[in-house]
Amino acid sequence: RPTIRSVGADHLKLLATVGIGVLLVSAVRASRQAVIPLWAENIGLEAAVTSLIYGLAGGIDMLVFYPAGKVMDKKGRAWVAVPSMAIMGIALLLVPFTHGATALLMASMLIGFGNGIGSGMVMTLGADYSPVAGRAHFLGLWRLMSDIGSTAGPGLLSAATALVSLATGIWCTAGLAFAASATLWYWIPRMASYARPKKS
């Protein structure tokens, strides 16, 4: 019977490559939820304006769910995973340069677009790579990697903000996004042999 330890040992290379990419993706996604309201407060926007900006960004996020999923299925996971993180990284870099509602809205909508086109990629990759034997254990480890990222991302944002400034914290999050993009770009094709065969 497979165990968490044995499944982790059998798939250590995968968890230490694409798994790290997933960890970084989750860190960026968790942090991006705090970036918009924090920066809006920093530049003195009213709560109602901040809510509108956040809602519009979420709307863009949802609009691209379906087309991004079609691209992922037809072209491959890297076709959405890599640009998703790259776009979010660029958008996060731009946020500290915004000083009004309109500029922040544009950057926030770009964040929403980047996040939306990568919707579902974490669990989709997990399903792709999950083995027949010990599948539940593997998916548990995969989810653990994602949860570690979700915890660590906002922690890094908070630490950098406390030590330097909010802008620095946001730029650190952008750096995580670029690192995630590069990691997934490099490792997804190289780990293709681990993936479950696709049904025609």
Side-chain angles (χ1 to χ4, degrees):
R1 293 173 61 89
T3 63
I4 290 287
R5 185 188 297 272
S6 66
V7 171
D10 289 343
H11 300 279
L12 182 60
K13 183 177 181 180
L14 180 61
L15 293 170
T17 54
V18 182
I20 293 299
V22 163
L23 186 152
L24 293 170
V25 167
S26 298
V28 174
R29 286 180 163 175
S31 300
R32 72 114 180 28
Q33 297 179 3
V35 164
I36 296 172
L38 284 174
W39 190 254
E41 173 69 22
N42 187 62
I43 61 177
L45 297 184
E46 296 181 359
V49 176
T50 302
S51 297
L52 180 61
I53 291 172
Y54 198 92
L56 289 171
I60 294 295
D61 195 322
M62 290 187 293
L63 282 174
V64 295
F65 281 2
Y66 181 76
K70 296 292 287 184
V71 172
M72 188 186 296
D73 287 340
K74 290 187 175 182
K75 295 289 188 178
R77 311 319 187 196
W79 277 74
V80 294
V82 174
S84 169
M85 288 295 103
I87 290 169
M88 289 187 73
I90 292 168
L92 288 164
L93 279 180
L94 295 175
V95 168
F97 296 104
T98 63
H99 300 289
T102 302
L104 180 58
L105 174 62
M106 295 298 104
S108 299
M109 291 176 74
L110 190 58
I111 291 173
F113 178 79
N115 187 64
I117 64 172
S119 177
M121 67 173 160
V122 170
M123 295 313 295
T124 300
L125 285 170
D128 286 347
Y129 292 121
S130 61
V132 174
R135 187 179 192 195
H137 298 78
F138 176 85
L139 290 175
L141 289 170
W142 195 260
R143 186 54 190 250
L144 176 62
M145 298 287 286
S146 174
D147 288 345
I148 290 171
S150 297
T151 302
L156 175 63
L157 174 63
S158 299
T161 299
L163 291 173
V164 187
S165 66
L166 177 58
T168 301
I170 295 172
W171 286 330
C172 287
T173 304
L176 293 179
F178 290 127
S181 182
T183 301
L184 295 174
W185 168 79
Y186 185 83
W187 284 113
I188 286 178
R190 287 163 176 78
M191 293 291 107
S193 61
Y194 282 76
R196 295 160 65 88
K198 307 293 187 301
K199 293 182 180 180
S200 58

